[in-house]
Amino acid sequence: MSKFYITTPIYYVNASPHIGHAYTSIICDCMARFKRLGGEQVYYLTGTDEHGEKVNQAAKASGEDVSGFVDRVVGNFKKLWKDLDVSYDFFIRTTQNEHKEVVRKVITLLHSKGDIYKAKYQGFYCMPCESFWTPTQVKDAGGVCALCKREVEKIEEENYFFKLSKYEGWLKSYLKKNPSFIQPKTRYNEVKGFLDNNVLADLCISRPKSRVSWGVEFPLDASYVVYVWFDALINYISAVGYGSDDDKFKQWWPADLHLIGKDILRHHAIFWPVMLHALGVSLPRVIFAHGWWKVEEEKMSKSKGNIVNPYTLIKDVGTDALRYFLLREISPGADGNFSYKAVVNRINSDLANDLGNLVYRTLNMAQKYFDGKVTARKCSLPAQFKKTLAPLAQNYAKYMDSLNFPAALDLVFAFVRVMNKYIEDTKPWALWKEKETSRIEEFLYALLEGIRIVSVYLYPFMPAAAQAILRQLGLKEELLSLRECKWAQKETYSIKKEKPLFPRIDVD
Ligand code: ME8
């Protein structure tokens, strides 16, 4: 059985999660469920990044002690993942001793290899991004943080550095030989362009305790803590046993997919590969940086205060509809502009009108005409079904593997619409009047088979709805496997109709 190790970024716990965080975790969940459907062994890692100045200040502002504060906010993240059906296998917290131990081991090892040294740091720091910037980078950005365009703090302090510069040549040639390492292509080009136009400076990896005390104590010098990003990146290996459980590490590493937002591309595509290479550890297979959800063309962010609250949306439209909207509306490589109108339109057209209606009408007919028991008398595949099912079966996995969710969903919904049209064209109510019972049963069986197949394909996107459909068809969850997406797998259906899956939402 092949394995699939997938990760989200570990989120800062300076505030509760918003729809941007939900987006990343939902993409990963969709991928994890898709891989499980294909029979792969999946390890889905998520967690929280709990150290650093930003979290410390947020704790202070809330008047709580830091560890009480982080515990509370971590609770909010975990609750949201539960409410969104995010099926992670492990939740790592950087404040866990096991993780801190690995961070210290990594630094000690890199130091013993001669890759860490002490020197004076002169430059700038952006606290909201927890990032160091050189004077040139700040100047080029117009005197602000090159990423978030906010004010930066000038700092001059003795620090420990990691010799990133030593590996510049290696990284460039690695990228050249592995063009699919960073995806999508635009992000690969961005990193390559950055490396072509800049000389890699060594990375500052400590902060003096006199300025920042909330962090992993630096193993070589107790008057420092580890720079929060250096600590955070290591979570991807500490969570799967690096330095503590060799068998587990061999089983899962390398990660098959690090999914991140494009805001943290530099850290993942430059610092992280070099750290791993210097440690003698193989690199993740793919780093995929998705776009941003914006509100009125501005990136949504906790510190800007323009966030869309996922809890409100779950309450208003439900978990599955929210997951569907986020995954259907934009391709993960692109940015999206969030609007409630778009959410409502998408739900009403695709979910209420097309899918919900198909399921409801079909189950209704099965109930009304056959008391809920439909048997395969003849099970030939209607020609119009075949025309849309064939490209779906052929391309679904390919689109899913490349994270092209809108394309995969387009194929599924093309089939849903074909089934709706099949109902209208067949006019079963007229057949009923003419007592064409076996013709209707054949017709209904075809629809039920189609709906069963659709529910499997939709499972990664809307797990609860897919399960609800199977339940109403009288089937068990074991059927949730891509192997089951074949025609005429069931002899008899015993319908147990429930309330409509996706009621229409009132635009007001
Ligand atoms: O950067 N649109 O944590 P973070 C889409 N702790 N995705 C968004 C988003 C938006 N508007 N806003 C946030 C950190 N995200 C570090 C990561 S990993 C070793 C350390 C998502 O809480 C997106 O995935 O700021 C982005 O990369 C991540 O949240 C940043 O979360």
Side-chain angles (χ1 to χ4, degrees), residues 327-485:
L327 296 169
R328 174 64 187 82
E329 200 66 9
I330 54 170
S331 236
D335 287 344
N337 207 17
F338 187 89
S339 86
Y340 289 94
K341 198 169 156 212
V343 176
V344 170
N345 284 344
R346 187 55 85 182
I347 294 173
N348 281 349
S349 70
D350 297 8
L351 300 184
N353 267 9
D354 293 346
L355 177 67
N357 214 3
L358 168 71
V359 174
Y360 197 74
R361 285 204 283 179
T362 306
L363 299 189
N364 232 356
M365 288 188 281
Q367 203 87 61
K368 187 168 154 199
Y369 300 147
F370 298 97
D371 216 12
K373 282 254 177 318
V374 177
T375 303
R377 306 276 169 219
K378 243 169 69 189
C379 55
S380 54
L381 176 62
Q384 60 272 57
F385 282 25
K386 195 170 174 186
K387 234 168 114 187
T388 38
L389 256 183
L392 172 57
Q394 210 173 5
N395 297 307
Y396 175 83
K398 182 184 78 187
Y399 286 140
M400 294 297 283
D401 273 324
S402 57
L403 278 77
N404 191 348
F405 304 126
L409 286 169
D410 262 348
L411 291 176
V412 178
F413 277 82
F415 183 41
V416 166
R417 280 188 288 272
V418 161
M419 287 194 273
N420 272 325
K421 184 152 189 314
Y422 182 56
I423 300 179
E424 276 127 44
D425 293 349
T426 310
K427 299 190 178 52
W429 45 92
L431 293 176
W432 184 250
K433 272 193 200 142
E434 289 157 24
K435 304 214 169 21
E436 294 263 14
T437 328
S438 70
R439 173 74 190 93
I440 303 181
E441 192 164 23
E442 209 181 298
F443 151 85
L444 275 179
Y445 177 81
L447 289 172
L448 292 169
E449 271 295 283
I451 291 172
R452 178 184 65 77
I453 291 173
V454 159
S455 72
V456 178
Y457 284 130
L458 286 179
Y459 171 74
F461 300 92
M462 299 187 284
Q467 281 161 315
I469 294 175
L470 286 181
R471 203 169 54 234
Q472 295 185 67
L473 296 181
L475 303 175
K476 299 235 162 59
E477 266 178 47
E478 291 96 81
L479 288 177
L480 282 169
S481 153
L482 285 179
R483 278 197 315 271
E484 298 289 336
C485 285

Side-chain angles (χ1 to χ4, degrees), residues 12-16 49-73 95 127 130 213-214:
Y12 289 125
V13 288
N14 59 316
S16 289
D49 190 355
E50 303 185 18
H51 293 127
E53 216 173 332
K54 176 153 91 165
V55 171
N56 196 22
Q57 289 204 1
K60 269 197 199 145
S62 78
E64 291 165 77
D65 76 18
V66 199
S67 44
F69 173 81
V70 298
D71 284 351
R72 183 171 61 75
V73 181
T95 47
M127 205 260 284
E130 295 282 17
S213 58
W214 179 239

Side-chain angles (χ1 to χ4, degrees), residues 10 12 18 20-21 24 49 261 263-264 290 292-293 300 302:
I10 47 171
Y12 289 125
H18 59 67
H21 304 105
T24 313
D49 190 355
D263 46 328
I264 53 178
H290 66 66
W292 286 335
W293 278 100
M300 200 184 304
K302 290 175 278 195

Side-chain angles (χ1 to χ4, degrees), residues 26 29 33 82-86 310 313-328 343 346-347 350-351 355 409 413 455 458-469 471 501-503 505:
I26 288 171
D29 191 61
R33 287 177 189 271
K82 188 163 180 286
D83 291 351
L84 285 172
D85 273 342
V86 169
L313 271 168
I314 294 174
K315 212 155 70 232
D316 288 346
V317 303
T319 292
D320 277 339
L322 173 57
R323 289 173 63 115
Y324 177 79
F325 170 77
L326 293 174
L327 296 169
R328 174 64 187 82
V343 176
R346 187 55 85 182
I347 294 173
D350 297 8
L351 300 184
L355 177 67
L409 286 169
F413 277 82
S455 72
L458 286 179
Y459 171 74
F461 300 92
M462 299 187 284
Q467 281 161 315
I469 294 175
R471 203 169 54 234
L501 286 172
F502 299 103
I505 296 177

Side-chain angles (χ1 to χ4, degrees), residues 121-164:
Y121 180 84
Q122 279 181 306
F124 294 86
Y125 196 76
C126 172
M127 205 260 284
C129 296
E130 295 282 17
S131 289
F132 292 101
W133 297 108
T134 63
T136 324
Q137 285 167 325
V138 170
K139 192 165 161 252
D140 289 350
V144 288
C145 167
L147 194 62
C148 72
K149 313 285 177 223
R150 275 174 287 204
E151 227 176 90
V152 281
E153 180 195 359
K154 189 166 185 197
I155 57 174
E156 258 191 59
E157 52 192 38
E158 283 285 316
N159 265 319
Y160 287 87
F161 286 79
F162 170 54
K163 284 189 186 163
L164 214 55

